[in-house]
Amino acid sequence: MDRQWIRNRNRRTEKYSDGVNSFIDVARHHVNSMNEISCPCKNCQNLFWHSLEVVYGHLLKFGMSVTYDIWVYHGEYMTGRGLIPLVQVRTNEVNSSLSNMIEDVFRRMDGDKEPIEEENYIMGNEDSIMGVAATNHRANVDNYERLLHEAQRPLYDGCTDFTVLTAVVELLHCKVDSQWTNKSFDRMLEIKRRMCPKPNYLPESYNACKKMLRGLGLGYENIHACINDCVLFYKEHEKKDKCPFCNEPRYKHSERKQRKKAPQKVLRYLPLKDKLQRLFMSRHTASATRWHKDKRIEEEGVMRHPADSIAWKEFDKTYAEFPEDPRNVRLGLATNGFNPFGNMSTSYSLWPVILVPYNLPP
């Protein structure tokens, strides 16, 4: 559907009025219990809820937010085959979209020569796409086929609500939210396997679920650390049993003979390089990395995205070559409980450090 009317500055035209009416027709099927919808006008920006009549008035008076051309808050869903109403989405549509995104990542490894538009794959020319994918992921072709199979295979014969992959993701999400132990999660899987019709394909254990998700790039590395935070036992220190600075032992002391020593402190690291590469290996996320350049609407005095901030613009002035290519990824570092000088009263030692890509749309 053509939605150029959203950017029409003259809101008195028949085209704009017809566009607003088409939006209201879609949104009226997704009202809340109070018969209200979120208002996408330039003032409300989907933050406030009003009746259909009020929203209609806002859109005529203030105009619709120019970046809201996919009505995700009003019943639309983006799949690999385009835009469809959310009310019509079934599990097979979601699974098909997931399959399409996985295929994007691995398409070039199997010699598929289908041309891909440059605006979708923002990694340079086709040769560089093939080179990066082939170099870093050719060994994972079998893993891709397994993932694709699990994304399409029903949880049991005749099941239309869950595939094996979607079931595992939801169960693990529930495990984290409810703080289940690994033992209780294994027990729950055992019961569910008995409850589901036979044959079913639910994994047997928590470890089997984790193994499946590692194929999606959701695994992490354990890196041993000094108990006093002096050093990581990594690279040149990887083989050492004591900290080279404070001489503290790397492993916990035990009177019993252990087959595997337990480290005193561990850093859990989610590798960054692979995740940055994956931003450019799916058409869905690759085009989003340059949204700030291609689709962002600049308006004086209004900040809707980090690209509107003083810090972003000052960075562009300081490093003039960096913004010349909008594909370059800007990352913001966020941490909760960062204690660089050890002067906080708490002794708690689990601090997440998170990198957030700022290129992506709001």
Side-chain angles (χ1 to χ4, degrees):
M1 181 186 298
D2 180 18
R3 298 206 171 141
Q4 291 302 316
W5 61 269
I6 293 175
R7 295 171 176 80
N8 192 341
R9 293 180 179 272
N10 185 358
R11 294 189 288 278
R12 296 183 179 180
T13 62
E14 183 179 352
K15 184 177 181 181
Y16 184 85
S17 178
D18 290 343
V20 172
N21 287 326
S22 69
F23 168 78
I24 295 296
D25 287 342
V26 171
R28 70 173 65 254
H29 299 290
H30 301 276
V31 296
N32 63 10
S33 58
M34 300 178 65
N35 225 29
E36 295 176 335
I37 60 171
S38 61
C39 180
C41 76
K42 289 183 177 179
N43 285 1
C44 296
Q45 295 283 339
N46 283 309
L47 297 176
F48 303 101
W49 290 64
H50 304 294
S51 66
L52 287 168
E53 292 76 14
V54 172
V55 171
Y56 181 81
H58 278 202
L59 293 177
L60 292 179
K61 182 177 181 180
F62 305 116
M64 182 178 285
S65 170
V66 292
T67 60
Y68 192 54
D69 51 5
I70 301 175
W71 300 336
V72 293
Y73 296 108
H74 301 89
E76 288 189 338
Y77 186 85
M78 178 62 77
T79 72
R81 293 194 293 270
L83 196 63
I84 61 173
L86 184 61
V87 72
Q88 296 178 4
V89 173
R90 296 292 181 267
T91 302
N92 61 338
E93 289 286 0
V94 178
N95 295 337
S96 175
S97 176
L98 177 59
S99 300
N100 289 340
M101 294 187 72
I102 296 174
E103 285 179 22
D104 284 345
V105 177
F106 291 92
R107 172 181 299 190
R108 290 298 171 181
M109 293 190 294
D110 294 327
D112 185 353
K113 301 301 181 182
E114 177 186 345
I116 299 174
E117 295 180 7
E118 184 180 356
E119 66 178 10
N120 287 334
Y121 278 81
I122 318 296
M123 194 69 178
N125 58 37
E126 186 174 314
D127 291 338
S128 66
I129 299 169
M130 293 176 64
V132 171
T135 302
N136 296 287
H137 296 280
R138 186 170 295 279
N140 293 332
V141 172
D142 291 340
N143 184 48
Y144 150 67
E145 291 176 348
R146 179 179 59 81
L147 276 175
L148 194 59
H149 179 65
E150 299 298 347
Q152 295 173 333
R153 182 167 64 165
L155 184 59
Y156 53 83
D157 294 343
C159 178
T160 58
D161 294 326
F162 290 98
T163 66
V164 177
L165 187 59
T166 56
V168 167
V169 170
E170 289 214 25
L171 289 173
L172 286 174
H173 190 191
C174 190
K175 176 186 186 298
V176 174
D177 279 350
S178 305
Q179 300 180 4
W180 296 344
T181 64
N182 296 352
K183 186 175 180 180
S184 64
F185 189 77
D186 286 346
R187 178 65 175 157
M188 183 271 297
L189 286 176
E190 180 187 342
I191 294 172
K192 282 191 174 295
R193 282 172 60 84
R194 296 205 311 264
M195 292 171 64
C196 289
K198 303 292 190 297
N200 62 71
Y201 310 102
L202 194 66
E204 297 179 355
S205 66
Y206 173 57
N207 285 335
C209 292
K210 286 202 303 181
K211 184 177 180 181
M212 180 185 298
L213 289 191
R214 285 193 196 103
L216 291 172
L218 301 179
Y220 58 85
E221 297 177 11
N222 285 325
I223 302 175
H224 298 174
C226 170
I227 188 66
N228 295 321
D229 302 320
C230 302
V231 71
L232 294 175
F233 293 99
Y234 182 66
K235 292 187 175 179
E236 67 271 20
H237 303 303
E238 187 174 3
K239 302 297 183 181
K240 296 178 180 178
D241 289 334
K242 290 186 178 181
C243 174
F245 296 96
C246 67
N247 213 34
E248 281 289 329
R250 174 176 179 173
Y251 300 102
K252 295 178 181 178
H253 176 71
S254 176
E255 299 293 341
R256 296 183 298 176
K257 187 175 181 180
Q258 294 177 312
R259 187 171 60 179
K260 187 176 182 180
K261 297 179 181 178
Q264 295 209 66
K265 185 176 283 191
V266 176
L267 166 72
R268 290 171 177 84
Y269 172 63
L270 284 75
L272 176 64
K273 183 178 178 181
D274 292 343
K275 290 174 175 58
L276 291 178
Q277 287 177 339
R278 273 195 293 275
L279 279 176
F280 298 99
M281 296 179 73
S282 166
R283 71 186 68 186
H284 304 274
T285 52
S287 58
T289 58
R290 52 184 297 154
W291 179 92
H292 66 94
K293 179 71 173 179
D294 297 337
K295 295 187 178 181
R296 179 176 60 91
I297 306 298
E298 282 199 70
E299 188 174 342
E300 187 66 30
V302 176
M303 190 172 82
R304 299 190 182 94
H305 187 271
D308 298 316
S309 67
I310 296 174
W312 184 293
K313 295 172 182 176
E314 189 63 30
F315 183 90
D316 286 353
K317 292 179 184 177
T318 306
Y319 305 97
E321 293 183 2
F322 191 87
E324 290 178 1
D325 190 342
R327 300 171 295 181
N328 288 333
V329 181
R330 302 173 192 238
L331 299 171
L333 187 144
T335 183
N336 179 25
F338 191 46
N339 187 15
F341 306 111
N343 56 4
M344 292 173 63
S345 59
T346 179
S347 61
Y348 193 60
S349 63
L350 180 62
W351 307 124
V353 180
I354 303 167
L355 286 173
V356 183
Y358 281 160
N359 294 50
L360 304 180

